[in-house]
C-alpha cells in the first residue's frame, strides 16, 4: 500500500442501492481528493478537501456526496447511481493544495448494474 | 481545446529501447509538471516533478520541459519489462487562490522481453 488506503477494492451495486467508499491516509497530509478514472478519459477531479473543508466541487451530480470527518479520512457516499458511473474511483492526498505531488490509493472499482 | 493532450498509445517497445512519452498543453499559466506511473489495478504514483524548462534526471528517467513550445516529455533509457505501465503527465497551475492539477489521458507502455 502507498500510504493511502481505499476500501472496498471492488464494489458492485444496483441503481437503487446506497453505499460508501472509504479512504484513509496517515501521511500527515492536509489535502484530500476524489478522482474518477474512466477508460480513455483523463482523471476527472470530483472533490477537494483542504484542512477538512470542501474547497472544490467540480459539477458532480448530487448522487455523489463526500464527507471528510477529519484530516485522515474521506468518504464518498453513493446513492441512486447510473450505469455510466461505473469507473475506478481514486482517492489521493497531498501535503497541501499547492503541491502537485499526490499520493494515490489503489482505487475502488465500481460497477453499477 | 483540451488543456493537456497525450497520445494514449498503446506503445510497445523491445527491452533495452529508449522510450519517449510526450504531452502538450495549452494554458500558459501551468507552472509545475509531473509524470505519474500507473500499474494495472493500482493507483498512479509520482515518478518525476519539475517546474522549470530544461531537463531533470533520475536514474533511467529524464523529464524534459519546453515552456516556449508548451511541450513536456519523459524519456526512459534501457527500458525494462517492469516499466510496462500507463504513464500520465500532469500539470499544476494556480490562479486566484485556486490550484488545479490537470492530467493527460495516459500512454500505455509495454516493454517486451
Amino acid at each position: 500500500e502507498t500510504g493511502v488506503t481505499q476500501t472496498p477494492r471492488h464494489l458492485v451495486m444496483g441503481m437503487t442501492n446506497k453505499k460508501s467508499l472509504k479512504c484513509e491516509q496517515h501521511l500527515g497530509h492536509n489535502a484530500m481528493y476524489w478522482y474518477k478514472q474512466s477508460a480513455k478519459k483523463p482523471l476527472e477531479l470530483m472533490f477537494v478537501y483542504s484542512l477538512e473543508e470542501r474547497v472544490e466541487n467540480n459539477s458532480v451530480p448530487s448522487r455523489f456526496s463526500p464527507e471528510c470527518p477529519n484530516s485522515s479520512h474521506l468518504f464518498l457516499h453513493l446513492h441512486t447511481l447510473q450505469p455510466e458511473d461505473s469507473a475506478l474511483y481514486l482517492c489521493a492526498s497531498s501535503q497541501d493544495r499547492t503541491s502537485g505531488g499526490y499520493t494515490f490509493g489503489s482505487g475502488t472499482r465500481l460497477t453499477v448494474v | 481545446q483540451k488543456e493537456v493532450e497525450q497520445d494514449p498509445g498503446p506503445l510497445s517497445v523491445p527491452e533495452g529501447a529508449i522510450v519517449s512519452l510526450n504531452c502538450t498543453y495549452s494554458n500558459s499559466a501551468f507552472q509545475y509538471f509531473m509524470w505519474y506511473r500507473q500499474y494495472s489495478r493500482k493507483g498512479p504514483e509520482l515518478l518525476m516533478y519539475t517546474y522549470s524548462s530544461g531537463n531533470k534526471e533520475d536514474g533511467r528517467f529524464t523529464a524534459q520541459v519546453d515552456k516556449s513550445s508548451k511541450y513536456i516529455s519523459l524519456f526512459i533509457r534501457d527500458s525494462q519489462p517492469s516499466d510496462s505501465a500507463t504513464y500520465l503527465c500532469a500539470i499544476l497551475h494556480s490562479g486566484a487562490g485556486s490550484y488545479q492539477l490537470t492530467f493527460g489521458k495516459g500512454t500505455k507502455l509495454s516493454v517486451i522481453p
Side-chain angles (χ1 to χ4, degrees):
Chain A
E1 291 293 346
T2 62
V4 176
T5 303
Q6 287 188 246
T7 53
R9 291 296 302 272
H10 301 274
L11 179 63
V12 179
M13 60 186 289
M15 289 191 284
T16 58
N17 291 160
K18 287 186 181 181
K19 296 286 184 184
S20 295
L21 310 185
K22 180 181 176 182
C23 176
E24 187 173 349
Q25 61 94 4
H26 294 289
L27 300 169
H29 287 173
N30 294 314
M32 295 186 77
Y33 313 82
W34 279 116
Y35 277 88
K36 176 183 179 182
Q37 188 173 37
S38 305
K40 301 190 190 317
K41 296 174 86 173
L43 283 167
E44 299 173 55
L45 178 64
M46 301 176 72
F47 301 103
V48 181
Y49 276 83
S50 178
L51 297 171
E52 302 158 41
E53 180 184 341
R54 190 192 311 179
V55 294
E56 267 190 62
N57 175 348
N58 278 7
S59 303
V60 179
S62 60
R63 56 186 184 267
F64 295 92
S65 174
E67 178 190 1
C68 187
N70 55 61
S71 59
S72 299
H73 294 86
L74 186 65
F75 294 89
L76 187 63
H77 303 300
L78 316 171
H79 65 97
T80 59
L81 295 191
Q82 304 299 309
E84 60 265 28
D85 296 322
S86 299
L88 181 67
Y89 288 84
L90 291 161
C91 173
S93 69
S94 65
Q95 188 59 52
D96 54 53
R97 292 204 58 217
T98 66
S99 168
Y102 292 7
T103 301
F104 283 87
S106 293
T108 295
R109 173 66 63 184
L110 173 67
T111 304
V112 181
V113 297
Chain B
Q1 183 180 5
K2 296 186 177 65
E3 290 197 273
V4 179
E5 294 271 10
Q6 183 176 11
D7 186 341
L11 181 63
S12 185
V13 301
E15 182 176 353
I18 296 174
V19 177
S20 172
L21 304 167
N22 310 292
C23 288
T24 59
Y25 62 95
S26 56
N27 188 336
S28 298
F30 285 133
Q31 298 177 333
Y32 299 91
F33 307 89
M34 281 137 282
W35 285 95
Y36 282 81
R37 177 176 61 194
Q38 186 174 19
Y39 290 114
S40 180
R41 297 188 180 83
K42 296 286 188 183
E45 59 176 331
L46 182 65
L47 196 59
M48 301 282 284
Y49 190 136
T50 185
Y51 62 90
S52 58
S53 282
N55 294 351
K56 181 177 181 180
E57 226 176 277
D58 184 2
R60 296 184 295 107
F61 298 88
T62 299
Q64 188 176 81
V65 175
D66 183 346
K67 288 188 177 182
S68 61
S69 302
K70 298 180 187 170
Y71 194 86
I72 63 172
S73 300
L74 179 71
F75 298 98
I76 307 174
R77 291 185 299 280
D78 187 25
S79 56
Q80 303 295 308
S82 58
D83 296 327
S84 298
T86 297
Y87 290 81
L88 302 103
C89 61
I91 307 177
L92 181 72
H93 68 94
S94 66
S98 171
Y99 296 86
Q100 179 80 38
L101 186 63
T102 302
F103 286 86
K105 290 183 180 179
T107 300
K108 187 172 183 179
L109 171 68
S110 295
V111 180
I112 312 301

